[in-house]
Amino acid sequence: MGKVITIANQKGGVGKTTTAVNLAACIAAAEKRTLLVDADPQANATSGVGIEGLSAGKSTYEVIVGGMSAAEAIQQTQMPYLSIIPSHIDLVGAEVELVHVEDRDRKLKAALDPIRGTFDFIFVDCPPSLGLLTLNALAAADSVLIPVQCEYYALEGLGQLLNTINMVKKQLNEQLDIEGVLLTMYDSRLRLSNQIVEEVKKYFGEKVFKSIVTRNVRLSEAPSFGKPIILYDAVSMGTRNYMELAQEVLTKNNHRITN
C-alpha cells in the first residue's frame, strides 16, 4: 500500500513545489513506483516534470470535481518510475464548485484510495493557501512534509499551518502525521540561515530532516527546462540535497535503497 505524503505550507516561495517535484523524482530514481499529484492551480509541478500546454480533460480538476477516476488521469513522465496527475488552471474554480458538495474535504482521498496499491509513494503538491484544496490534500495523506525556508519570516504562519493540521486530525484524518520539516534555501555564509536552522530545530526537534536544501542556481533553472534537478544536472548540489532527502524518506519508511 503506497504512502501518501502531502507537501504543504501556506506561505509562498518556500520551495514547496521544488520539493514535491525533486523528491518525487529522486524517489523514482531509486526505482520506487512514484506518483506526483499536482493540486495547485498554478500547475508548476506539472510543467516542472515536462508536461506543458495541458488541455483540459484529464487533470486534478476532473478527479476532484468531475468524479473522474485517478487512474484515468495519470500521465507518464520522462522518468520510468514517475507518473503524475497533472493540474490545470480550471482547478481555480474547484473551491467554489465544491462549497455545497457533500464530503467536499475528502474528494481527493476517495480518488486516491483505489490506486494506492499501484504505487510505493504518492506525493501531493498543494497551493500556497489553507483552502479547500489543501484540506483535501491533508485529508488524503498519511503524513505531511513541511518545507521551511531559512529566511527572516520562516516561522511566521507555521502556527496557523499546525493548527490546520491538528484540525484535520480531529475532524477528517486522525492518522495524519508530520513526515518531517525540511529546511530550504539555506546559505551557510549567512548567520541568519544558521539562526533559523537552530530555531526550527528547537521548535520541531526530531521532526527536522537532517538533509538541508541549499540555495542552488541549477535548482532554480531546472523548472524552466521542464526537468527535475536529477535530469537537468545530476552532479549539482541540488541533486545531492534531494537524493539525501529521498534516502531519509525511504529509510524512515522502511524501504530498501537500491544502488
Side-chain angles (χ1 to χ4, degrees), residues 16-29 34-39 42-54 60 73-87 123 125 219 221-232:
K16 185 172 48 58
T17 298
T18 300
T19 296
V21 167
N22 291 303
L23 176 56
C26 288
I27 295 277
T34 308
L35 176 66
L36 178 59
V37 179
D38 191 350
Q42 295 175 89
N44 291 332
T46 300
S47 59
V49 295
I51 295 174
E52 289 280 7
L54 181 76
T60 319
I74 290 171
Q75 295 194 28
Q76 185 57 43
T77 71
Q78 52 202 316
M79 293 185 73
Y81 287 86
L82 180 61
S83 304
I84 185 169
I85 297 180
S87 186
F123 294 98
D125 185 33
L219 200 52
E221 291 172 352
S224 63
F225 290 86
K227 290 182 176 181
I229 188 64
I230 195 169
L231 294 186
Y232 179 63

Side-chain angles (χ1 to χ4, degrees), residues 28-257:
E31 299 187 355
K32 303 298 176 186
R33 298 162 305 162
T34 308
L35 176 66
L36 178 59
V37 179
D38 191 350
D40 185 347
Q42 295 175 89
N44 291 332
T46 300
S47 59
V49 295
I51 295 174
E52 289 280 7
L54 181 76
S55 57
K58 289 188 177 181
S59 72
T60 319
Y61 173 80
E62 281 74 30
V63 170
I64 293 178
V65 179
M68 176 183 283
S69 74
E72 201 179 332
I74 290 171
Q75 295 194 28
Q76 185 57 43
T77 71
Q78 52 202 316
M79 293 185 73
Y81 287 86
L82 180 61
S83 304
I84 185 169
I85 297 180
S87 186
H88 188 271
I89 192 64
D90 284 357
L91 195 56
V92 166
E95 307 224 351
V96 175
E97 292 176 60
L98 289 172
V99 165
H100 300 297
V101 175
E102 195 179 338
D103 261 352
R104 61 183 179 271
D105 302 321
R106 292 190 175 92
K107 288 292 179 186
L108 187 59
K109 175 178 170 54
L112 294 181
D113 279 352
I115 61 164
R116 283 176 64 137
T118 311
F119 296 96
D120 296 305
F121 287 93
I122 298 173
F123 294 98
V124 185
D125 185 33
C126 294
S129 69
L130 292 177
L132 198 50
L133 291 171
T134 297
L135 284 181
N136 262 272
L138 292 172
D142 295 305
S143 63
V144 54
L145 189 156
I146 306 168
V148 176
Q149 84 280 34
C150 294
E151 290 178 0
Y152 186 68
Y153 293 112
L155 298 178
E156 190 182 75
L158 269 185
Q160 194 184 353
L161 175 61
L162 294 174
N163 286 342
T164 301
I165 291 169
N166 287 330
M167 183 272 287
V168 169
K169 278 188 82 156
K170 280 181 191 157
Q171 298 178 14
L172 297 170
N173 180 4
E174 60 183 25
Q175 308 302 323
L176 185 63
D177 190 17
I178 292 179
E179 184 72 20
V181 176
L182 175 69
L183 289 152
T184 64
M185 303 178 194
Y186 175 76
D187 187 339
S188 59
R189 297 167 302 178
L190 301 178
R191 185 192 296 173
L192 177 64
S193 278
N194 294 302
Q195 286 173 343
I196 298 296
V197 169
E198 292 312 309
E199 221 171 310
V200 171
K201 283 181 176 174
K202 205 183 298 176
Y203 196 79
F204 287 102
E206 292 296 307
K207 288 291 184 185
V208 181
F209 286 109
K210 291 184 177 68
S211 309
I212 293 178
V213 180
T214 53
R215 283 196 176 278
N216 181 248
V217 174
R218 306 297 273 171
L219 200 52
S220 306
E221 291 172 352
S224 63
F225 290 86
K227 290 182 176 181
I229 188 64
I230 195 169
L231 294 186
Y232 179 63
D233 185 346
V235 296
S236 72
M237 181 59 77
T239 298
R240 195 182 314 164
N241 292 162
Y242 278 108
M243 284 302 289
E244 286 169 359
L245 176 63
Q247 291 203 337
E248 270 196 79
V249 171
L250 288 170
T251 302
K252 179 176 179 179
N253 290 287
N254 301 315
H255 277 265
R256 196 166 55 82
I257 299 163

Side-chain angles (χ1 to χ4, degrees), residues 5-18:
I5 300 176
T6 285
I7 298 165
N9 191 329
Q10 79 275 22
K11 271 174 72 71
V14 299
K16 185 172 48 58
T17 298
T18 300

